[in-house]
Amino acid sequence: MKRVFAIIICVVIAFSFVACKNNVAFTETQNKTIVANDGTEYTFIGAEGRFWCFGERDFIGHVKGEKKSFVHLTSKIKTGMYSVNGEQNILVRYYPDNEFSVIYVKSDLLKTEITLDNCIRFGFVKGSLFDKDKSALSKNGITECEQFLNEIKSGQTVYEAGLFDLVEQPDGMLKNCYVYGYACGVIQEDVNIVIPLEIISYDDKAFSITIDEITYVLPQGWLDKLIAE
């Protein structure tokens, strides 16, 4: 009987250990960083959408002091931190009562601030950025980042160029105006975070790109370089 009891205790301890290991607790500091139980620090980057990381999210732990879940529409969402592609260099966080998520990166990995001006390359993602099947960014694209951004921002906006005239119908509706893809700015090749810039097609006759909430004409030459394989 004692032996059976001892085995039961060992099993309970083992399961408790696994549960704790797979449910790491995190603490938020006053300067917005997140610290894991093992002391690993994560730096706040910003909201998903403005920034993006590719891969599947898996829940790994709650943030101390926050409620564990909330309901958005018909879905129950666990609050706290999620790993990306099974790794914990990048973490995605869901706050209570907020369906939008934010991104953190392990602090000792960052070599520079994650801004457009610090991009070393722009890669291309065709179609929706948020497709779960997209797990990585192509290695090709634009490396003349400063020239690319300066030329785009010194050019015409879509309104100045009249691009909507290509797709607007007599009833005011837009035909064949759709998200063509994204130019994704890479900061570090070893950090899975990009800055996505939305590209719109106007009936495939012209294209635009949005930078800092302003939509500019995207010249065909830059588009061809961006999507080249």
Side-chain angles (χ1 to χ4, degrees):
M1 185 66 181
K2 290 182 178 179
R3 182 179 180 185
V4 172
F5 183 73
I7 292 174
I8 292 174
I9 292 297
C10 290
V11 170
V12 170
I13 292 173
F15 274 108
S16 298
F17 176 77
V18 171
C20 290
K21 186 176 181 181
N22 292 329
N23 191 22
V24 181
F26 294 87
T27 303
E28 183 172 23
T29 68
Q30 290 184 342
N31 63 353
K32 277 192 172 184
T33 60
I34 289 288
V35 180
N37 271 354
D38 64 1
T40 304
E41 183 182 85
Y42 293 86
T43 298
F44 174 82
I45 299 301
E48 281 201 297
R50 184 178 177 188
F51 304 94
W52 189 251
C53 54
F54 298 96
E56 292 289 331
R57 279 75 161 142
D58 294 302
F59 177 78
I60 56 173
H62 297 288
V63 176
K64 289 181 180 178
E66 292 185 347
K67 66 180 183 180
K68 301 296 190 290
S69 64
F70 67 97
V71 176
H72 173 65
L73 300 178
T74 59
S75 299
K76 185 176 181 180
I77 299 175
K78 276 187 177 181
T79 65
M81 311 304 291
Y82 289 72
S83 64
V84 180
N85 283 338
E87 298 183 355
Q88 296 184 23
N89 289 335
I90 308 296
L91 298 183
V92 175
R93 179 184 183 183
Y94 281 91
Y95 293 98
D97 304 315
N98 190 335
E99 71 270 28
F100 300 106
S101 56
V102 297
I103 297 175
Y104 289 78
V105 62
K106 192 179 289 185
S107 299
D108 60 9
L109 289 180
L110 281 181
K111 300 172 185 173
T112 185
E113 187 179 359
I114 298 182
T115 66
L116 276 178
D117 291 337
N118 289 331
C119 288
I120 59 174
R121 179 172 66 86
F122 283 91
F124 180 66
V125 169
K126 188 172 179 60
S128 173
L129 180 70
F130 313 108
D131 186 342
K132 290 185 178 180
D133 291 334
K134 291 183 171 68
S135 59
L137 187 66
S138 67
K139 295 298 182 182
N140 300 317
I142 294 169
T143 54
E144 306 91 340
C145 299
E146 183 177 3
Q147 180 186 355
F148 169 65
L149 292 172
N150 287 341
E151 284 190 16
I152 297 297
K153 291 192 287 187
S154 64
Q156 291 183 306
T157 67
V158 290
Y159 301 102
E160 292 169 339
L163 295 193
F164 286 108
D165 295 340
L166 300 173
V167 293
E168 188 170 6
Q169 305 302 297
D171 61 1
M173 299 294 289
L174 302 180
K175 183 178 180 181
N176 293 332
C177 183
Y178 64 96
V179 176
Y180 182 74
Y182 290 82
C184 294
V186 177
I187 307 298
Q188 294 175 212
E189 295 290 359
D190 60 341
V191 174
N192 178 25
I193 295 177
V194 298
I195 302 176
L197 305 178
E198 186 180 65
I199 298 172
I200 298 293
S201 168
Y202 301 81
D203 198 24
D204 295 335
K205 297 173 183 174
F207 298 86
S208 68
I209 186 168
T210 300
I211 302 174
D212 296 331
E213 300 183 2
I214 299 176
T215 304
Y216 301 92
V217 174
L218 176 60
Q220 188 66 48
W222 281 119
L223 179 61
D224 289 344
K225 185 156 191 173
L226 180 68
I227 65 178
E229 296 182 358

